[in-house]
Amino acid sequence: MKEISKTYNPQEVELELIKYWEKNKFFTPEDNSGKPKYSMVIPPPNVTGNLHLGHILDNTVQDIYVRWKRMSGYNVLWLPGTDHAGIATQTKVEKHIKEQGLSRYDLGREKFVEKVWEWKDIYHENITGQLKRMGASVDWTRERFTMDEGLSKAVRKVFVSLYKKGLIYKGKRIINWDPVAQTALSDEEVIYKEKKDKLYYIKYNILNADSNSPLKYVTIATTRPETMLGDTAVAVNPNDSRYTGIIGKKVILPIVDKAIPVIADEYVDMDFGTGALKITPAHDPNDFEIGIKYGLEQVQVIDHQGKMNEKAGKYSGLDRFAARKQIVARLQDEGLIEKIDEYTHNVGYSERGGIVVEPYLSDQWFVSMKTLAEPALNAVLSGKVRFHPERWEKVYNNWMTNIRDWCISRQLWWGHQIPVWYNKKNGEMYCEIEPPEDIENWEQDPDVLDTWFSSWLWPFTTMGWPDDTEDLKKFYPTDFLSTGPDIIFFWVARMIMAAIEFTGKIPFYDVYFHNIIRDEIGRKMSKSLGNSPDVIDVMNEYGTDALRFTLVYLAPQGVDVFFSKEKCEMGRNFANKIWNASRFLLMRREQFTEASQPDYKHDIFDKWIESRLNSAIQTYVLALDEYKINEASKALHEFIWGDFCDWYIEVLKIKSNEQPEAGLIIFDKGFEIFDKVLRLLHPVMPFITEELWQAIGDRKENESISISEFPVLNENVISKDIETEVALMQELVTSIRNLRAELNLSPSVKCDVVIACENEKSAFYVDELSSYIKSLAKIGELQSMVKEDFAKIEQFKSLTSVVGPFQIYVKIEGLIDIEQEKQRLDKEIQRTESFLISIEKKLSNEKFVQKASPEVVENERKKQEDSRQKLEKLKEHYNSLVS
């Protein structure tokens, strides 16, 4: 055993322990082990910047499981790595060089990619440093990067394999286009925001309509009049009686002055707008499908920069939104605007760039998904892959059932360049893992693959696939994945598809969708919003264990967390409580020598602490098994703070005072329990538990709590009867303490107490525990008697309270000046009544209740209820003094 400092200094402890763990390679799995395996791969953080609190929660959850399993006798691999994050990283670097007055085109592809690698190296170092600082017990000897040599080769192999199977193809499709980043986006990279817009009603004159024609024009409604220059038809529903007479005729496209057909299709919603729909096959995905169906021309009028192109005539070169204004003005001048309505709808924005996405007709590479989706859907529906919470299975099922082909090409420079080459002479296409031998005659496709195309292979490529490695044999499939529900489609679904396709096995057995961390106003914490406090700053201020514990404590399964760093005060207080408990145990243990060891008198508390400890182990392990991590952390907090620190340590003091000759036995037992406490808590709070575990025992250089045995549940010692008995005593003590508080008694003042009991049995119970009750409640004289005997004794002034079968009387004569106390209570009653009247007046005001936020109203109602209870207690106290 060694001496520990008076106060806990997390920074000092954490930095030393990180070195200790790394030096001894505690987190590298054994090569030849007979233990069962437990494995997971870290969701690779993007090298776009530093980690935010969402990452810390995610990795804390994972670390809890690997530390728990490692201590429970498993050969554990937690494999780390980072993601190149194509568009996100390229966007960051482009912004960075823009500050120097440069663009990627100024540098050229090769030099620009060198700049991105430099950025990657800096932020990779930051990220790994943050992971180490937060205590992630990963095996750093196996670290991977999505663009390292092995993973890059695996990516090419997968592309070539799918291409040769006909599951990767190149085609003209409407894709989501980011005009700033100038690249395609997958559907999942588009976020939709509600936007107030205008709905323009535009007249399309019917060709050759005479004065006898029932319709002279058709009115269409659109939010995007700039795209009308690319219209190639107007569509109506064949069942719409308003338009049956014009189906097959032609209308004149305004401004362009071109005749386009009126076609009939049941796709058209008769109730939207006017029931007539402009068809622009090159600028809307639904119109594109209708255009294919009817063989319509695809006229593209907006270019890759979001500007009008040469087919837009006089509007060529204008930004799409500037063109909209000019086109609307011209239509108004020509009397072709029937009306303009205010209209609110959802508009797609680039997740990374924040720009309005442009539906764009382009040649892109796609993966045909339906063939891959079916076995991946069955894997979840059959229970081979289990989701926690289960409700995400329904979301997964819906998406997989309606899956669309995946656009995998990106017009970027950072990423895995598509392994396709075109012959410079004859245009022949070559698709293989390695480039053609006469490479000088070939030109590689300039596009790169979507960043998720490497991420979807992560569980098995990180272990060496396509080679048949020992890691794949031993550790794949992995056991557990923790991730955010926002990437269930981006990543989780695709990993299951890829794993089954290329390994014939699922990638993992259990998927835990952790909570989304939000700031105090409900926004998701993210790098792009900059609303996440610097995690290192939080660790420095409160301690890493405090941050880890707070995050999981605040995170019920499936519920978002509203976080502010001040909430870490709870975790810091918990760490300090444990530290102070260990100091007390160490100091008291030193007071006793081995020479004085008589027979020790065991009592109910020896059985109670064993029962409570094993109840805590049972609750904790069950919660982890069910992926209810905040319930696990609450079980720890309740046992360690409440049972162990607040009660058991006090009991040890009393025991050693009453049996000083047995002090060594008493505190050895205390250390035995505390050792289990530390091992139980270690997965959640690894630093403080390692430091204290090293302090309370004689450890060797290569010993660590992280590879010690996790406390084994012993159900035989759990006794609910004993726990109930002690809980009743705790209620008695707490009630007496509360009465003392009402009397404003200082801790040094002892009070006399009489406890009237239901019967002889309950009186005997009080007598048996009287020494503990007296010491814990600061009692001078304690009398217990059955209620019949109590009625016979001389009455006295007291404060009273009821606990189960007991009526408690705290004698007050001689403790306080009764008249002075009555005056104080009278003033406090008046003040509380006035406050209560003001609250009730506010809540009776209908305008206040209607206009105030629900949180404010609820807070006022809580004040009301608290004030009523306080007033009731004050009056009870006052009446006890006048009776």
Side-chain angles (χ1 to χ4, degrees), residues 583-682:
R583 287 191 73 249
F584 168 78
L585 290 172
L586 285 166
M587 287 189 296
R588 288 301 295 265
R589 171 74 167 66
E590 288 174 2
Q591 296 173 8
F592 302 99
T593 64
E594 303 231 358
S596 53
Q597 291 192 32
D599 292 334
Y600 165 61
K601 297 174 187 174
H602 289 273
D603 63 18
I604 191 172
F605 285 100
D606 297 294
K607 294 178 181 178
W608 169 78
I609 193 61
E610 288 284 2
S611 181
R612 291 298 299 142
L613 170 64
N614 281 277
S615 292
I617 294 171
Q618 188 177 54
T619 303
Y620 178 54
V621 170
L622 179 63
L624 289 181
D625 279 335
E626 294 178 349
Y627 299 94
K628 295 175 179 176
I629 297 155
N630 92 302
E631 290 184 20
S633 66
K634 287 185 175 181
L636 291 177
H637 189 270
E638 181 182 329
F639 171 70
I640 296 169
W641 187 297
D643 296 326
F644 186 81
C645 293
D646 281 353
W647 292 100
Y648 184 62
I649 283 182
E650 293 302 313
V651 164
L652 291 180
K653 291 180 188 176
I654 298 166
K655 281 177 177 285
S656 60
N657 289 336
E658 291 184 350
Q659 303 180 66
E661 70 283 358
L664 188 65
I665 298 172
I666 291 167
F667 280 97
D668 277 350
K669 180 63 179 176
F671 271 109
E672 181 187 319
I673 299 295
F674 190 55
D675 180 89
K676 291 179 181 177
V677 164
L678 294 176
R679 286 185 280 131
L680 196 61
L681 182 60
H682 177 71

Side-chain angles (χ1 to χ4, degrees), residues 768-781:
E768 280 286 291
L769 297 173
S770 63
S771 64
Y772 290 110
I773 297 171
K774 287 174 69 176
S775 181
L776 292 166
K778 302 286 192 285
I779 296 172
E781 183 182 344

Side-chain angles (χ1 to χ4, degrees), residues 125-145:
E125 192 68 23
N126 290 354
I127 288 166
T128 55
Q130 288 174 309
L131 286 171
K132 289 176 182 178
R133 181 65 193 279
M134 65 141 301
S137 60
V138 299
D139 178 13
W140 289 108
T141 68
R142 284 173 164 86
E143 186 185 3
R144 303 305 299 264
F145 177 56

Side-chain angles (χ1 to χ4, degrees), residues 44-60:
N46 295 341
V47 290
T48 47
N50 297 322
L51 301 184
H52 57 69
L53 281 167
H55 293 109
I56 303 302
L57 171 61
D58 189 15
N59 286 291
T60 297

Side-chain angles (χ1 to χ4, degrees), residues 616-871:
I617 294 171
Q618 188 177 54
T619 303
Y620 178 54
V621 170
L622 179 63
L624 289 181
D625 279 335
E626 294 178 349
Y627 299 94
K628 295 175 179 176
I629 297 155
N630 92 302
E631 290 184 20
S633 66
K634 287 185 175 181
L636 291 177
H637 189 270
E638 181 182 329
F639 171 70
I640 296 169
W641 187 297
D643 296 326
F644 186 81
C645 293
D646 281 353
W647 292 100
Y648 184 62
I649 283 182
E650 293 302 313
V651 164
L652 291 180
K653 291 180 188 176
I654 298 166
K655 281 177 177 285
S656 60
N657 289 336
E658 291 184 350
Q659 303 180 66
E661 70 283 358
L664 188 65
I665 298 172
I666 291 167
F667 280 97
D668 277 350
K669 180 63 179 176
F671 271 109
E672 181 187 319
I673 299 295
F674 190 55
D675 180 89
K676 291 179 181 177
V677 164
L678 294 176
R679 286 185 280 131
L680 196 61
L681 182 60
H682 177 71
V684 182
M685 299 176 77
F687 291 104
I688 193 170
T689 51
E690 178 77 85
E691 181 72 5
L692 294 176
W693 190 79
Q694 296 286 346
I696 66 171
D698 298 317
R699 314 297 181 192
K700 297 174 184 175
E701 169 62 22
N702 60 350
E703 278 192 276
S704 169
I705 192 174
S706 65
I707 54 173
S708 67
E709 184 182 24
F710 192 78
V712 177
L713 172 65
N714 182 358
E715 292 188 62
N716 294 327
V717 301
I718 296 177
S719 169
K720 294 304 174 188
D721 289 341
I722 287 175
E723 290 187 24
T724 301
E725 279 190 54
V726 173
L728 185 58
M729 186 218 73
Q730 290 169 329
E731 284 186 63
L732 277 172
V733 170
T734 301
S735 182
I736 295 168
R737 286 173 174 174
N738 289 340
L739 293 174
R740 287 177 58 92
E742 287 183 37
L743 293 168
N744 294 316
L745 296 182
S746 73
S748 62
V749 175
K750 292 191 175 182
C751 58
D752 293 338
V753 174
V754 176
I755 300 179
C757 309
E758 284 281 350
N759 49 45
E760 292 288 349
K761 184 180 177 182
S762 56
F764 178 75
Y765 169 85
V766 173
D767 290 341
E768 280 286 291
L769 297 173
S770 63
S771 64
Y772 290 110
I773 297 171
K774 287 174 69 176
S775 181
L776 292 166
K778 302 286 192 285
I779 296 172
E781 183 182 344
L782 174 63
Q783 287 180 279
S784 64
M785 57 186 71
V786 294
K787 290 182 178 178
E788 290 81 359
D789 293 339
F790 178 77
K792 299 172 185 175
I793 67 171
E794 185 180 345
Q795 296 303 297
F796 49 85
K797 290 191 179 296
S798 65
L799 282 186
T800 186
S801 154
V802 176
V803 172
F806 306 108
Q807 181 89 29
I808 302 166
Y809 298 89
V810 175
K811 296 181 179 180
I812 59 175
E813 288 182 284
L815 285 179
I816 59 171
D817 183 320
I818 293 176
E819 287 305 315
Q820 193 175 27
E821 179 67 4
K822 284 163 61 178
Q823 290 174 19
R824 185 189 71 82
L825 287 171
D826 189 51
K827 287 179 182 178
E828 187 66 13
I829 288 168
Q830 289 178 39
R831 192 191 68 79
T832 306
E833 284 175 335
S834 297
F835 182 72
L836 182 58
I837 289 168
S838 68
I839 294 293
E840 289 175 338
K841 186 177 180 182
K842 190 183 289 186
L843 287 171
S844 65
N845 184 332
E846 288 185 14
K847 287 184 179 179
F848 168 77
V849 174
Q850 289 171 1
K851 290 183 178 180
S853 69
E855 292 81 8
V856 169
V857 173
E858 183 58 33
N859 189 44
E860 292 299 314
R861 286 185 175 140
K862 186 177 184 307
K863 287 181 189 175
Q864 181 187 40
E865 183 58 30
D866 289 347
S867 297
R868 282 174 177 167
Q869 289 180 11
K870 181 180 178 181
L871 190 60

